[in-house]
Amino acid sequence: MTNTTRSPRRLVTLLLMLALALVAGACAADDADDGTDAADSTEDVPATEDQTMVDDEETDGSDDGTDEPDDAAAAGEDLGELVVGSTNFDEQELVAEMYALSLEQAGFTVERRYQLGAREVVLPALTSGEINVYPEYVGTALEFLNGGAGEASSDTEATTELLREEFAEEGVDVLEPAEAQDKNGLVVRPETADELGLETVSDLADEAGDLTLGGPPECPERPLCIPGYEETYGITFGDFRSLDAGGPVTVEALSSGEIDVALLFTTDAVISANEWVLLEDDQGLQPAENIVPVIQTEVNNEAATEALNAVSAVLTTENVSEMLGQIRIDLADPAEVASEFLTEQGVLDG
């Protein structure tokens, strides 16, 4: 009779083999379910050079097969905030508003701070960062910065380059000057010109002691105002009235006879409207006074430069004078005048 009972040693061996098989199966199942399958994991595998280049291209968006420019303005993004300021007369507000509109179209958010005061107020505001941009005049700005050294001349290019050197020390960029110029001018009523035989500033030399000059409060200190007329022409006025910078107070004072001679700006349309006489600057005291944008270097970039220079490119003495006539005589809103003009010139989208 054959014995079919298994021996104890053989049974133990079989049980041990079965246990080992179960443990191995459980480990394999854990490896498959823990999310770190060798086929999917790259944690410990160094990237090749080619793979690194591909990843970098995907990250920075370059070579993505599109033709759109990598430009924030083109993408409709905000390029940041700029504060546009101006000194305290209408022409400044008009041109500053043009700067603001052009910068906004380029993609900047613009804060407007107009009619802040004279250059003595506005220039420190620019260098301190209280404002970032405002319109300047190349000759007057140069003489203000150099302490009246007499470097400004009728040569726009040379005067602008000297201004750039002076402003660079203040952390300010001087961009492209406009063709438009606005100079200081001495203006008299026609009856005064006829009575005293006045055509040029030199004609005032023998008469000024009996006349009252009206102008901005800073005129007695400005090298291109009272000190300049005294040095260049030998003119000393009998009295000076501190009024405003070529604004309505000065205009009214001349019109009413409160003053005999007014310091006005040569682009002012009220001169021709009232048939007043602008005396010829026959000794050339007044230098080139092209309107030019100045902007803090630290906030300037290609987009800002292009937007501001686009305004300079369309300004002439004639069209500035015409726009000032709309503001001073027709009482038009400077912002509306600026917007309409830039749209007509193609600087702003219609």
XYZ file of all heavy atoms in Angstrom, residues 18-59:
290
model
N 5.253 29.778 -0.553
C 4.019 30.501 -0.787
C 4.055 31.884 -0.136
O 3.648 32.891 -0.721
C 2.836 29.689 -0.247
C 1.449 30.345 -0.389
C 1.115 30.593 -1.865
C 0.370 29.433 0.243
N 4.580 31.979 1.059
C 4.674 33.267 1.772
C 5.577 34.240 1.035
O 5.270 35.431 0.902
C 5.177 33.026 3.208
N 6.712 33.769 0.538
C 7.634 34.610 -0.210
C 6.987 35.145 -1.479
O 7.186 36.306 -1.881
C 8.906 33.838 -0.551
C 9.813 33.513 0.642
C 10.956 32.591 0.196
C 10.378 34.799 1.237
N 6.183 34.298 -2.137
C 5.511 34.726 -3.369
C 4.511 35.838 -3.085
O 4.361 36.806 -3.846
C 4.820 33.536 -4.029
N 3.778 35.731 -1.963
C 2.788 36.746 -1.597
C 3.458 38.078 -1.277
O 2.979 39.153 -1.666
C 1.977 36.263 -0.388
C 0.999 35.115 -0.672
C 0.380 34.601 0.637
C -0.101 35.560 -1.625
N 4.592 38.039 -0.590
C 5.316 39.272 -0.263
C 5.814 39.960 -1.519
O 5.712 41.170 -1.691
C 6.488 38.961 0.691
C 7.379 40.186 0.831
C 5.968 38.526 2.038
N 6.357 39.217 -2.455
C 6.874 39.787 -3.718
C 5.755 40.428 -4.509
O 5.907 41.501 -5.106
C 7.566 38.682 -4.533
N 4.584 39.779 -4.539
C 3.450 40.333 -5.279
C 2.974 41.647 -4.678
O 2.617 42.578 -5.379
N 2.968 41.727 -3.348
C 2.524 42.948 -2.674
C 3.465 44.100 -2.961
O 3.047 45.233 -3.195
C 2.425 42.700 -1.168
N 4.763 43.879 -2.968
C 5.747 44.927 -3.269
C 5.580 45.448 -4.686
O 5.674 46.645 -4.943
C 7.174 44.398 -3.082
S 7.580 44.078 -1.351
N 5.342 44.526 -5.623
C 5.168 44.945 -7.018
C 3.941 45.826 -7.164
O 3.927 46.797 -7.909
C 5.053 43.702 -7.917
N 2.866 45.457 -6.402
C 1.643 46.257 -6.477
C 1.869 47.649 -5.918
O 1.384 48.638 -6.455
C 0.521 45.546 -5.709
N 2.634 47.757 -4.821
C 2.921 49.068 -4.231
C 3.693 49.948 -5.192
O 3.434 51.138 -5.330
C 3.735 48.901 -2.936
C 2.867 48.343 -1.802
O 1.624 48.394 -1.945
O 3.442 47.875 -0.812
N 4.690 49.346 -5.887
C 5.501 50.122 -6.836
C 4.657 50.663 -7.970
O 4.885 51.748 -8.469
C 6.633 49.261 -7.399
C 7.716 48.993 -6.370
O 7.763 49.734 -5.349
O 8.513 48.068 -6.600
N 3.670 49.920 -8.374
C 2.851 50.335 -9.511
C 1.878 51.435 -9.140
O 1.465 52.201 -9.972
C 2.082 49.118 -10.065
N 1.514 51.550 -7.834
C 0.458 52.480 -7.431
C 0.968 53.733 -6.747
O 0.187 54.600 -6.403
C -0.515 51.766 -6.467
C -1.280 50.648 -7.154
O -1.399 50.703 -8.398
O -1.756 49.754 -6.460
N 2.275 53.874 -6.493
C 2.733 55.019 -5.705
C 3.042 56.264 -6.530
O 3.532 57.256 -6.017
C 3.975 54.654 -4.873
C 5.181 54.384 -5.746
O 5.036 54.450 -6.983
O 6.263 54.120 -5.178
N 2.755 56.284 -7.847
C 2.929 57.471 -8.683
C 4.362 57.724 -9.072
O 4.665 58.760 -9.621
N 5.264 56.808 -8.820
C 6.672 57.017 -9.157
C 7.167 55.918 -10.052
O 8.299 55.462 -9.933
C 7.528 57.075 -7.879
O 7.358 55.862 -7.146
C 7.107 58.253 -7.003
N 6.338 55.470 -10.932
C 6.738 54.455 -11.899
C 7.971 54.919 -12.647
O 8.078 56.057 -13.063
C 5.585 54.214 -12.883
C 5.817 52.981 -13.736
O 6.711 53.056 -14.589
O 5.105 51.986 -13.532
N 8.904 54.030 -12.820
C 10.182 54.369 -13.444
C 10.003 54.944 -14.839
O 10.783 55.770 -15.284
C 11.090 53.130 -13.502
N 8.970 54.514 -15.508
C 8.754 55.006 -16.869
C 8.311 56.465 -16.881
O 8.483 57.156 -17.861
C 7.705 54.137 -17.574
N 7.690 56.919 -15.756
C 7.180 58.289 -15.703
C 8.097 59.221 -14.933
O 7.985 60.426 -15.020
C 5.807 58.306 -15.029
C 4.778 57.550 -15.841
O 4.936 57.513 -17.078
O 3.834 57.020 -15.250
N 8.967 58.727 -14.104
C 9.771 59.568 -13.230
C 11.025 60.047 -13.918
O 11.734 59.284 -14.537
C 10.139 58.773 -11.969
O 10.999 59.532 -11.159
N 11.286 61.395 -13.776
C 12.527 61.973 -14.318
C 13.292 62.679 -13.212
O 14.215 63.440 -13.488
C 12.208 62.991 -15.428
O 11.365 64.011 -14.899
C 11.523 62.331 -16.614
N 12.909 62.423 -11.969
C 13.491 63.160 -10.857
C 14.997 63.008 -10.778
O 15.717 63.969 -10.550
C 12.844 62.698 -9.555
C 13.412 63.400 -8.325
C 12.695 62.966 -7.071
O 11.638 62.337 -7.166
O 13.195 63.263 -5.979
N 15.466 61.795 -10.998
C 16.890 61.541 -10.822
C 17.639 61.464 -12.136
O 18.807 61.088 -12.159
C 17.095 60.237 -10.040
C 16.531 60.334 -8.639
O 16.621 61.445 -8.052
O 16.009 59.337 -8.140
N 16.940 61.815 -13.249
C 17.585 61.704 -14.554
C 17.977 63.097 -15.031
O 17.122 63.943 -15.229
C 16.641 61.049 -15.585
C 17.336 60.951 -16.937
C 16.202 59.681 -15.091
N 19.250 63.412 -15.202
C 19.662 64.756 -15.643
C 19.194 65.040 -17.066
O 19.236 64.178 -17.922
C 21.196 64.706 -15.568
C 21.529 63.251 -15.697
C 20.420 62.503 -15.029
N 18.739 66.318 -17.301
C 18.283 66.701 -18.640
C 19.465 66.848 -19.571
O 20.537 67.288 -19.176
C 17.523 68.020 -18.571
N 19.242 66.477 -20.801
C 20.287 66.686 -21.800
C 20.305 68.144 -22.194
O 19.368 68.896 -21.933
C 20.008 65.834 -23.052
O 18.813 66.301 -23.645
C 19.889 64.361 -22.705
N 21.361 68.605 -22.864
C 21.479 69.998 -23.296
C 20.358 70.386 -24.229
O 19.776 71.451 -24.119
C 22.829 70.215 -23.973
C 23.054 71.651 -24.412
C 24.415 71.838 -25.035
O 25.187 70.875 -25.032
O 24.679 72.949 -25.534
N 19.999 69.460 -25.152
C 18.938 69.759 -26.098
C 17.616 69.935 -25.389
O 16.821 70.825 -25.704
C 18.819 68.645 -27.144
C 19.989 68.648 -28.104
O 20.702 69.684 -28.155
O 20.193 67.632 -28.795
N 17.350 69.071 -24.391
C 16.090 69.161 -23.677
C 16.010 70.459 -22.886
O 14.964 71.099 -22.801
C 15.945 67.957 -22.724
C 14.612 67.958 -21.960
C 13.424 67.849 -22.879
O 13.432 67.055 -23.804
N 12.411 68.669 -22.650
N 17.145 70.885 -22.285
C 17.161 72.142 -21.540
C 16.833 73.316 -22.426
O 16.076 74.207 -22.061
C 18.551 72.354 -20.910
O 18.844 71.253 -20.064
C 18.582 73.639 -20.109
N 17.370 73.340 -23.647
C 17.100 74.434 -24.570
C 15.627 74.478 -24.939
O 15.024 75.545 -25.004
C 17.955 74.279 -25.822
C 19.446 74.492 -25.577
S 20.421 74.150 -27.045
C 19.820 75.424 -28.136
N 15.008 73.319 -25.145
C 13.600 73.275 -25.486
C 12.765 73.815 -24.348
O 11.852 74.612 -24.515
C 13.168 71.837 -25.843
C 11.645 71.761 -25.973
C 13.828 71.409 -27.141
N 13.099 73.400 -23.111
C 12.338 73.874 -21.954
C 12.441 75.373 -21.798
O 11.464 76.057 -21.470
C 12.850 73.170 -20.685
C 12.486 71.695 -20.648
O 11.600 71.272 -21.428
O 13.094 70.965 -19.841
N 13.653 75.917 -22.037
C 13.836 77.355 -21.902
C 13.009 78.115 -22.920
O 12.414 79.142 -22.626
C 15.310 77.719 -22.081
C 16.141 77.305 -20.888
O 15.553 77.024 -19.820
O 17.381 77.271 -21.029
N 12.954 77.592 -24.147
C 12.191 78.259 -25.182
C 10.710 78.255 -24.854
O 10.004 79.224 -25.081
C 12.425 77.593 -26.534
C 13.818 77.837 -27.097
C 14.088 77.021 -28.337
O 13.196 76.279 -28.743
O 15.188 77.150 -28.887
N 10.238 77.143 -24.276
C 8.834 77.077 -23.926
C 8.515 78.028 -22.785
O 7.436 78.600 -22.692
C 8.470 75.645 -23.538
C 8.495 74.684 -24.714
C 8.247 73.250 -24.289
O 8.216 72.990 -23.082
O 8.072 72.420 -25.177
N 9.480 78.227 -21.888
C 9.262 79.093 -20.735
C 9.214 80.547 -21.114
O 8.352 81.300 -20.693
C 10.370 78.876 -19.688
O 10.361 77.517 -19.291
C 10.153 79.770 -18.479
